[in-house]
Amino acid sequence: MSLSKTTIGPFELYTVETGDFRLDGGAMFGVVPKTLWSKALPADEKNRIPMTMRCLLIKSNNTGKVYLIDNGAGTKFNEKMEGIYQLDQSSKNLKNSLQEQGFDFDDVTDIIFTHLHFDHCGGTSFYDDNNKLKLTFPNADYHVVDTHWENANNPNAREKASFLPENINPIKESGKLKLVKENHEYEPGLSSVIANGHTIGQQLPKIEHDGKVLVFAADLIPTHVHVPLPWVMGYDMYPVQTLDEKDTFLKQAAEQNWNLYLEHDAHKEIIRIQQKDGRFSVSETLTLNDL
């Protein structure tokens, strides 16, 4: 596994790969017909498409903080769940990725959760040899948007399956939870963009310096195939709101040449966007090494 890295102003950025998995292609593309999406992402015999869990580590040379954005699904899945999602951490996993980039669990001071669905926060804790839940990052504070924390702890019946108690409870009981407001600024040059369509209170971390911008696109743009406006996930709680948020977000990305860091795309790490005749498309594919 070869991981990429770069520097934007005072921020050192490192790719952290935490594993691969598969999700139902129909759920990932909602009302878009399989005959269209399967051309870009062919499904397996169970109609699942390849996905990854790509996180981002940010070391700030201004504050000394080491931020980790999301941390994957973790290791708490039983055999049945591993089979459903075909979770594979044999070549990519959180510990190995951090070590390859020169970090360990103890080095992380802050975890910024885009949201608390299982594939974004499961790595926060693990079962020890006595089957007790332990925290993976002993020195880290956990940052969650306040409206999302309320939603995660009081989910509707449709979203409940994504908020697993074994993921949420260790965060709740850690004493290290930091609730933030929408569009929070963590420090100069590191802020977040809010997006409520997928789930209430999802935050997309944004790094910027001297006109260069990298946005962690999370589940607003999970893969490069989701760039066209109508290509919205069936998982989204409020798909019409996602449409509006994507339109605003992608217009800014195209006009200001943003670099969009893709969390779930198994093949593309960073994309840039262009707009032509009212349609958005990928203009360029990069990695952190290219920035």
Side-chain angles (χ1 to χ4, degrees):
M1 180 173 60
S2 181
L3 302 174
S4 56
K5 58 186 177 181
T6 194
T7 300
I8 296 179
F11 302 106
E12 299 175 18
L13 309 180
Y14 302 86
T15 298
V16 175
E17 300 278 4
T18 71
D20 295 323
F21 69 128
R22 286 179 175 266
L23 288 177
D24 183 83
M28 281 300 297
F29 290 100
V31 300
V32 179
K34 182 178 181 178
T35 52
L36 295 180
W37 59 255
S38 62
K39 293 176 182 177
L41 290 174
D44 65 11
E45 70 283 355
K46 295 182 179 179
N47 204 47
R48 301 173 303 183
I49 60 172
M51 307 272 287
T52 198
M53 293 170 285
R54 179 180 297 111
C55 304
L56 181 67
L57 187 134
I58 306 167
K59 180 180 179 181
S60 170
N61 290 316
N62 281 343
T63 63
K65 289 191 172 186
V66 177
Y67 303 89
L68 180 63
I69 304 173
D70 288 350
N71 53 46
T75 59
K76 299 189 295 292
F77 273 44
N78 58 34
E79 188 174 337
K80 177 182 177 181
M81 294 297 283
E82 284 187 358
I84 290 172
Y85 296 107
Q86 200 175 322
L87 185 66
D88 181 6
Q89 297 175 325
S90 58
S91 62
K92 302 175 182 177
N93 64 69
L94 181 58
K95 182 177 182 179
N96 289 350
S97 287
L98 287 173
Q99 289 181 342
E100 182 177 330
Q101 296 286 30
F103 296 89
D104 206 342
F105 295 137
D106 293 355
D107 297 322
V108 177
T109 63
D110 296 82
I111 295 178
I112 300 174
F113 291 115
T114 61
H115 59 299
L116 296 171
H117 289 167
F118 70 85
D119 51 321
H120 297 258
C121 71
T124 308
S125 56
F126 65 96
Y127 288 115
D128 67 8
D129 293 339
N130 298 314
N131 207 35
K132 299 292 186 182
L133 278 172
K134 298 290 185 181
L135 296 175
T136 307
F137 304 92
N139 301 318
D141 289 331
Y142 309 118
H143 302 273
V144 182
V145 173
D146 54 2
T147 54
H148 183 68
W149 182 252
E150 174 66 22
N151 183 51
N153 283 276
N154 300 281
N156 60 54
R158 184 165 174 255
E159 199 173 7
K160 187 176 182 179
S162 293
F163 296 122
L164 304 181
E166 60 267 33
N167 291 336
I168 305 296
N169 290 339
I171 296 171
K172 184 185 301 184
E173 297 163 3
S174 69
K176 297 184 176 185
L177 174 64
K178 307 293 182 183
L179 297 180
V180 301
K181 297 296 182 182
E182 294 186 357
N183 304 312
H184 179 70
E185 182 180 68
Y186 290 92
E187 62 178 85
L190 176 59
S191 59
S192 66
V193 177
I194 201 71
N196 291 301
H198 176 62
T199 185
I200 293 173
Q202 178 182 210
Q203 60 176 329
L204 314 180
K206 180 182 181 184
I207 302 105
E208 52 189 326
H209 181 81
D210 284 348
K212 182 177 286 187
V213 176
L214 178 78
V215 182
F216 191 93
D219 279 350
L220 180 63
I221 313 288
T223 76
H224 74 284
V225 188
H226 288 86
V227 168
L229 287 182
W231 293 48
V232 172
M233 288 190 289
Y235 291 115
D236 285 11
M237 293 298 103
Y238 310 99
V240 174
Q241 187 165 355
T242 296
L243 273 173
D244 292 338
E245 290 170 343
K246 281 179 68 176
D247 191 27
T248 299
F249 180 82
L250 291 173
K251 280 178 180 174
Q252 285 184 284
E255 292 169 359
Q256 301 176 28
N257 202 35
W258 287 359
N259 301 285
L260 306 186
Y261 189 92
L262 303 179
E263 186 165 13
H264 289 314
D265 197 304
H267 308 293
K268 300 183 188 299
E269 182 174 315
I270 295 171
I271 57 172
R272 289 177 180 163
I273 302 298
Q274 62 186 0
Q275 184 178 15
K276 186 176 181 181
D277 299 327
R279 296 172 181 264
F280 297 105
S281 61
V282 176
S283 63
E284 195 173 357
T285 300
L286 314 93
T287 69
L288 286 180
N289 291 334
D290 301 319
L291 299 185

